[in-house]
Amino acid sequence: MTVSRVVELEGHIIDSGMMGAAFGIVMDMGGSFEVDEFEIGRSKTEGSYARLTVFADTEDDLQPIVHELHGIGANPADPRDATLAPAPADRVVPKGFYSTTNHPTDVRYEGEWLPVERVEMDCAIVVDPEAEGGPRAYTKVLNAVEAGDLVVTAEAGVRVRPPERPRGDGSPFGFMQGGVSAERPSESTIAKIAESIREVKEEGGTVLAVCGPALIHSGAREALARLVREGYVDMLSAGNGFAVHDLEHDLYGTSLGMDTETLDHPRKGHKHHIYTISEIIRVGSIREAVESGLVESGVMYECVRNDVPFVLAGSIRDDGPLPDTITDAIEAQNAIREQAHEADMVLLLSTLLHSVAVGNCLPSTTRVVCVDINPATVTQLLDRGSAQAVGMVTDIGTFVPILAEHVIYGGRE
């Protein structure tokens, strides 16, 4: 005797590989399937539809298969209302709670589909039946769950909608244009990324730059500062080190004691890092350092002068840290999460840890650019689930200045 479940796949399920992925999941997990209905889109923009019956020996065998299928957008053909259970305590979810993907998601409540707000991966979905304006569904991270929250359990009544990926998209974010390559024509890819940044800005969107200290070390400081000054970077996320090295360059002309132009190490240059932190603490904050005239250039300077909000998330290895650095991990996560949900495009620039932190908060519909000299870093970040991502393995000191030229001048002086 076997048990079965009927699921549906809709959209560009062939171009995006969704259908093949569904077949692979069923077979790899010991199940079987029958294709009950299959309608193929006849143009680049027309979607396809498939209806599958999935079989397994027992309900316990079937459930994990259905769970994996659900994560790629194969939804039950006979949707029911979602099952809700109250959280038994603060920061405790009911057993069997539904853990979100980063794809657009809907929850069925009293026969109506509610769009899940603030989608990100690995969260609980809370339904508020008494919200102003009608029932709402939204994500909550574990540390924000409160006793009594109505949390969605299991996959019933949950619909996942992976972003469409039709053929013919000429942007770097189009189907099969993402991925990692050190051999892809860099100039043309950077030009397309620059075009996407301009499109986002023209449409009133926001660009978030997530930056590592290597950007300062490699000589890209002035180019990024220019992008901030010209209005192409709306938010900045970084660590204590990035800000310290940027400020050090203004105060002493070095980054971690090294002259980034001559590559020389000035006498006593190793002290510049600590001197910089001390001077910023002395005046009170980065903003006060800029407004007092102590700091007169750089990325942090342009952020202050152009009211570009920044989040500096601390770590256990930080020197100082700067007064603006958030040292409470939960507070830092929440600040990063606010930026991530506001961003329409994110530039992950040579920083693994901060990029992972931001990437975990992003819905799959957000455009992501990841640049690092290490191929493993780019692969790890792009594998975190974004459907619109492009990765480049290149020197960040080369990438950012070329990008700035293309964004501001279209590649021409």
Side-chain angles (χ1 to χ4, degrees):
M1 182 178 177
T2 61
V3 293
S4 64
R5 196 74 48 83
V6 180
V7 298
E8 295 175 318
L9 298 91
E10 297 182 82
H12 293 280
I13 61 177
I14 300 173
D15 295 343
S16 65
M18 186 192 304
M19 191 166 184
F23 292 165
I25 287 171
V26 176
M27 292 184 290
D28 291 345
M29 299 184 70
S32 59
F33 63 88
E34 290 181 1
V35 180
D36 304 319
E37 187 176 348
F38 187 23
E39 299 176 7
I40 302 175
R42 302 296 180 179
S43 69
K44 290 181 179 180
T45 57
E46 185 180 354
S48 302
Y49 170 83
R51 182 183 179 98
L52 312 179
T53 301
V54 182
F55 302 92
D57 292 335
T58 67
E59 187 65 34
D60 288 343
D61 295 326
L62 181 62
Q63 186 57 37
I65 298 175
V66 172
H67 175 78
E68 292 298 321
L69 289 173
H70 192 268
I72 65 167
N75 297 299
D78 55 344
R80 311 187 297 273
D81 280 356
T83 302
L84 307 178
D90 290 350
R91 297 186 297 169
V92 179
V93 290
K95 290 187 180 299
F97 85 104
Y98 178 83
S99 180
T100 56
T101 69
N102 62 347
H103 297 314
T105 302
D106 303 308
V107 170
R108 191 175 175 89
Y109 177 74
E110 293 188 346
E112 300 290 334
W113 288 105
L114 305 177
V116 177
E117 302 167 20
R118 298 173 63 85
V119 166
E120 61 179 275
M121 66 176 66
D122 302 328
C123 291
I125 299 176
V126 173
V127 174
D128 182 358
E130 300 178 356
E132 183 177 350
R136 292 175 53 214
Y138 47 88
T139 62
K140 272 195 174 185
V141 293
L142 183 61
N143 63 51
V145 170
E146 299 176 281
D149 280 344
L150 293 179
V151 177
V152 175
T153 59
E155 283 79 24
V158 181
R159 181 173 65 188
V160 176
R161 296 176 286 111
E164 297 290 305
R165 292 201 272 183
R167 286 175 291 176
D169 187 345
S171 79
F173 305 96
F175 171 64
M176 294 301 289
Q177 294 300 310
V180 181
S181 174
E183 300 177 357
R184 180 179 300 150
S186 297
E187 187 83 14
S188 61
T189 301
I190 295 173
K192 289 183 177 181
I193 293 170
E195 182 180 350
S196 294
I197 292 174
R198 290 197 299 271
E199 287 176 358
V200 168
K201 295 302 300 173
E202 288 168 2
E203 294 169 359
T206 57
V207 177
L208 167 63
V210 183
C211 307
L215 191 149
I216 306 299
H217 297 326
S218 62
R221 173 178 180 264
E222 283 70 27
L224 182 61
R226 191 177 189 185
L227 286 172
V228 175
R229 183 169 62 251
E230 297 291 338
Y232 291 103
V233 172
D234 303 286
M235 300 178 289
L236 178 77
S237 180
N240 183 71
F242 172 86
V244 172
H245 301 329
D246 173 67
L247 296 165
E248 177 190 335
H249 193 285
D250 177 81
L251 296 178
Y252 300 101
T254 59
S255 174
L256 204 59
M258 182 188 74
D259 187 311
T260 57
E261 294 184 5
T262 66
L263 303 185
D264 291 334
H265 288 78
R267 185 171 179 269
K268 296 185 178 180
H270 63 284
K271 297 183 179 182
H272 293 172
H273 180 74
I274 299 300
Y275 284 167
T276 297
I277 297 170
S278 179
E279 289 306 303
I280 302 302
I281 292 174
R282 188 193 308 277
V283 296
S285 70
I286 295 173
R287 175 170 291 278
E288 290 174 284
V290 171
E291 292 178 347
S292 68
L294 175 65
V295 172
E296 299 179 329
S297 70
V299 179
M300 304 311 300
Y301 172 87
E302 296 296 348
C303 285
V304 171
R305 284 298 185 204
N306 295 280
D307 293 320
V308 171
F310 56 85
V311 171
L312 303 180
S315 74
I316 197 171
R317 67 184 185 279
D318 286 338
D319 292 320
L322 293 167
D324 304 81
T325 298
I326 303 172
T327 56
D328 182 284
I330 301 301
E331 183 184 346
Q333 285 179 10
N334 290 336
I336 287 171
R337 183 166 285 109
E338 290 300 318
Q339 286 188 323
H341 283 287
E342 187 178 342
D344 297 291
M345 185 171 182
V346 179
L347 309 177
L348 306 177
L349 305 176
S350 197
T351 171
L352 175 59
L353 295 181
H354 281 84
S355 295
V356 168
V358 173
N360 283 348
C361 302
L362 293 174
S364 63
T365 51
T366 303
R367 293 181 175 186
V368 176
V369 177
C370 178
V371 182
D372 201 284
I373 197 67
N374 184 350
T377 296
V378 181
T379 300
Q380 180 175 344
L381 292 170
L382 295 194
D383 281 348
R384 303 191 77 80
S386 177
Q388 299 191 92
V390 60
M392 291 189 66
V393 179
T394 189
D395 173 42
I396 198 68
T398 301
F399 173 84
V400 175
I402 295 176
L403 178 69
E405 289 298 312
H406 278 283
V407 169
I408 298 169
Y409 300 112
R412 300 182 301 276
E413 288 284 359

